[in-house]
Amino acid sequence: MQNLEAFKIEINSPKKVVITTHHKPDADALGSSLGLAGYLNKKGHDVTVISPTDYPEFLYWMKGNDTVIKYNEGGQEVSEKAIQEADLIFCLDFSSLNRINELGELVRDSKARKVLIDHHLEPEDFATYTLWSTEAAATAELVHQLIIDLGDGDMIDKNMAECLYAGIMTDTGSFKHPNTTKNVFMVCADLIGKGADTAKVAKLIYDTNSVERVKFLGYALNEKLKILPKYNTAYFAITENELKKFKSKTGDTEGLVNYALSINGIKLAAVIIDRTEAVKISFRSVGDFSVNEFARKNFEGGGHKNAAGGISYLSLDETVEKFEKLLEENKNELSTNLKTYA
Ligand code: 5GP
Ligand code: MN
């Protein structure tokens, strides 16, 4: 953070603080928010964590989960009041205010000073204080850095450490993605030193599936995986009915895209899902193909070079058609063979 000294003065006297994160928060969004909330509570601030929407139940174990206001689930009034009265609003794990739905305008209009902590590409310029780095694997890594830079590393306890560890574990794909740097391991070593039980966190996030979720995975792999060798692309298109049939809950489709990406030679993977409001798309890539650019240009989305998301207001079939057409347009980049390690 460039103006750390000014921020330090702010943070050293009690404030009314709001922490907010993106639509359908994942483990990094929620973990960095609750890790930071734990710290700010200890510093004597009055902290409200607001999520624009619900989030997966496999994140409910995080300390502070029971205090999170869900804006779209009866939390509207409380959120509006907290945002209006806030001195400081932290925006975590997103870079543009449209990622927090209606909350975006409230945050923009609030007199509070804004603090952006994020690792996504192309941030919007709305914050007074910014801790932004695309080198960071996770926003949780940046929250850890901020607490250390403020000289408060000793205040990180087991609960905060587990929230932050969860963000780093998931955003590095369990330490498999190229964003797994030396610093990632240094930070995780520190978090383990603070008491983080890494086996517990992994179990709670990855291995608490419902039977329906596992069966849905089997169904999707068997029946729904489409491979287009010409473009080194594999994708799933999932209908609303299929979600209903497998009693799919928020978070149940998370990770599906990685199975498409795991196929040897695949450069681009997608999961295209018919949600009631719109069609939501997750993109992943290996190598130089930037799904951030692809999602930004074609699906009102964005994210990182190798992991991004977007949205479509066409029908599912039309969205798939548009996607396949775009593959043809990007044929030059996609059709060359993936560079392998061998
Ligand atoms: P996921 O596919 O796991 O939902 O998201 C992958 C990455 O892309 C995450 O970093 C997420 O924040 C970002 N992302 C997902 N959907 C969108 C979107 O609609 N707009 C933008 N700007 N980013 C998104
Ligand atoms: Mn993140």
Side-chain angles (χ1 to χ4, degrees):
M1 185 176 283
Q2 307 97 339
N3 34 6
L4 184 71
E5 287 311 310
F7 181 72
K8 205 177 219 174
I9 294 168
E10 291 250 21
I11 217 80
N12 278 336
S13 65
K15 296 275 178 326
K16 280 191 182 336
V17 173
V18 164
I19 300 174
T20 188
T21 188
H22 62 74
H23 177 92
K24 298 273 177 186
D26 56 15
D28 187 34
L30 195 71
S32 57
S33 297
L34 290 176
L36 178 68
Y39 166 67
L40 293 174
N41 276 320
K42 282 192 183 177
K43 294 283 274 185
H45 301 287
D46 174 357
V47 184
T48 308
V49 179
I50 304 172
S51 167
T53 63
D54 67 328
Y55 47 80
E57 280 176 25
F58 58 73
L59 301 178
Y60 285 6
W61 57 270
M62 289 185 179
K63 176 77 173 176
N65 166 64
D66 52 348
T67 67
V68 177
I69 311 291
K70 293 172 191 151
Y71 182 79
N72 76 336
E73 289 188 355
Q76 215 161 321
E77 245 172 72
V78 193
S79 303
E80 279 165 17
K81 188 164 180 284
I83 290 171
Q84 266 158 20
E85 291 176 354
D87 302 305
L88 280 174
I89 300 178
F90 286 81
C91 297
L92 263 55
D93 202 41
F94 66 93
S95 275
S96 69
L97 287 172
N98 66 11
R99 285 281 283 144
I100 56 172
N101 311 351
E102 295 92 341
L103 278 173
E105 284 316 302
L106 295 173
V107 169
R108 200 191 297 280
D109 294 345
S110 163
K111 64 177 191 330
R113 287 165 306 286
K114 326 287 179 335
V115 188
L116 175 74
I117 307 180
D118 186 42
H119 66 138
H120 289 90
L121 293 160
E122 299 174 53
E124 185 182 332
D125 184 15
F126 66 88
T128 313
Y129 302 101
T130 302
L131 177 54
W132 177 82
S133 169
T134 52
E135 305 280 298
T139 298
E141 187 181 347
L142 294 172
V143 168
H144 177 270
Q145 183 192 323
L146 180 63
I147 298 173
I148 300 289
D149 289 350
L150 291 166
D152 287 332
D154 290 347
M155 291 174 77
I156 301 174
D157 60 26
K158 178 179 164 68
N159 290 321
M160 290 158 61
E162 287 179 350
C163 289
L164 298 178
Y165 179 80
I168 299 173
M169 180 188 76
T170 53
D171 269 21
T172 56
S174 300
F175 311 100
K176 288 195 296 187
H177 299 329
N179 60 2
T180 310
T181 58
K182 176 179 173 188
N183 192 59
V184 159
F185 284 117
M186 305 272 277
V187 170
C188 289
D190 186 51
L191 296 174
I192 292 169
K194 303 282 195 271
D197 181 340
T198 57
K200 177 184 105 177
V201 173
K203 165 81 185 150
L204 289 171
I205 290 193
Y206 294 125
D207 298 331
T208 52
N209 293 321
S210 64
V211 174
E212 288 88 356
R213 185 181 181 191
V214 176
K215 290 196 169 175
F216 171 73
L217 172 63
Y219 168 76
L221 292 174
N222 235 332
E223 311 277 338
K224 304 294 297 187
L225 178 63
K226 181 146 186 205
I227 301 168
L228 303 170
K230 188 157 70 152
Y231 309 117
N232 293 310
T233 294
Y235 74 89
F236 302 91
I238 309 289
T239 67
E240 251 186 307
N241 268 342
E242 287 163 336
L243 293 178
K244 261 193 218 137
K245 189 172 160 206
F246 289 93
K247 300 188 177 65
S248 182
K249 290 184 302 204
T250 297
D252 275 4
T253 53
E254 228 176 81
L256 181 60
V257 67
N258 295 320
Y259 288 92
L261 195 70
S262 74
I263 299 165
N264 198 18
I266 290 297
K267 282 178 143 178
L268 171 64
V271 170
I272 307 171
I273 302 178
D274 196 357
R275 304 276 179 202
T276 326
E277 336 73 74
V279 174
K280 190 76 190 97
I281 318 172
S282 274
F283 297 108
R284 297 292 184 272
S285 65
V286 186
D288 286 340
F289 189 80
S290 169
V291 283
N292 169 61
E293 267 175 48
F294 187 78
R296 202 170 280 272
K297 251 202 241 158
N298 305 301
F299 295 101
E300 302 174 35
H304 311 282
K305 184 175 148 205
N306 296 125
I311 203 156
S312 159
Y313 297 99
L314 302 168
S315 70
L316 182 66
D317 288 347
E318 287 163 343
T319 304
V320 167
E321 205 176 302
K322 173 176 172 180
F323 175 65
E324 291 204 6
K325 231 190 225 157
L326 287 165
L327 296 179
E328 179 62 28
E329 285 172 26
N330 286 273
K331 196 174 165 183
N332 286 347
E333 252 190 288
L334 289 169
S335 63
T336 53
N337 285 341
L338 186 64
K339 283 195 199 90
T340 59
Y341 290 101

